[in-house]
Amino acid sequence: MQGAAPSTGSTAIPGRPGEDSSLVVFITRRLAVTIPLLLIISFSVFALVHIAPGDPVRSLLGARAADPATLVAIRARFHLDDPFLVQYGKWLLQVIRGDLGVSIQGNRAVTSIIADRLGVTIFLSLMSTALVLGLGILLGAVAAFRRGTRFDRAVVMFGVFGISSPAFVTGIFLLYLFGVLLHWFPIFGPGRGFLDRAWHLTLPALALAISVMAIVIKITRAAMIEELARDYVTFARARGLSSRRILFAYVLRNSLIPVVTAAGLIVVGIVAGAIYVEVTFSLPGLGALMVDAIQKRDIPTIQGTTLLFSAFVLLVNLAVDVIYTLIDPRIRFGRVES
């Protein structure tokens, strides 16, 4: 708060020239934690795949037959006769260079396969995130402002329905109702072009959004109710400010910190839920690719997709931390001044 005495050390005060440098230091510290975490995750993925039952050579061959000379050549190509840590080190160097290996399905580079599938998953995740955060924050805010009304009860019931229904169950219901019975939306395929893709991915995006929107609604509603009970809202009303201005200009901004924290979890949950939704709607995305790779024990593809999802989760958490500090710069100093 404004009444707090400024600190005398090297810590910068929000709103002063040192604020930008303190934000850079904050991001640098977060990156210093993120990079080791990514290395630990990469080591875990590499280890779990290699200690799984079965011969890695047979997994790399798939259903193809091979003579002993071919088996020896594959073991030499993938360094399977080297010590485990040596194998991991060589694989990690390849990953750093952007080489995730070659898939046993079609003998294509894993990076090329991921690039072909990435667009569908990104589009689906962005649509779902926009629906979740846009509608979730709006419904939660209005429900808090109209607490106890029929609208508030309807929003709460919608939230209970959404959180009780898994994404793939909601997807099957939407697919049958709006795709099979009413023929309002296509029932499979990702579409081509921006508008056609948005049309094809409407039902999958809704299935993902409905299942997680309840969390945003609940957190927004609770935070808004708490803020509406504060003294500054009473003073704003006494000054004659309109309800809309109080809600969106003051109360909503002060309620954003728990919402932003939840947003990071929501985005990660949407990407994880996309795995089931893509299979339900037969979409050629990363989720369907990972499921197919696991079923066929395609080791390079499993490693590549898992590492990509892990990196995405870490980057989302980093972005949430940065946005968190932009909303309330005091957080970057590790304390909230009073």
Side-chain angles (χ1 to χ4, degrees), residues 320-338:
V320 168
D321 287 340
V322 173
I323 297 174
Y324 212 73
T325 61
L326 293 177
I327 296 175
D328 189 350
R330 297 171 296 176
I331 296 173
R332 77 186 64 165
F333 304 108
R335 62 188 177 87
V336 177
E337 300 171 1
S338 57

Side-chain angles (χ1 to χ4, degrees), residues 78-98:
F78 291 94
H79 313 288
L80 295 178
D81 293 324
D82 294 337
F84 175 77
L85 292 179
V86 175
Q87 293 183 45
Y88 170 71
K90 292 179 179 179
W91 175 77
L92 183 61
L93 289 177
Q94 290 181 349
V95 171
I96 294 175
R97 293 195 299 265

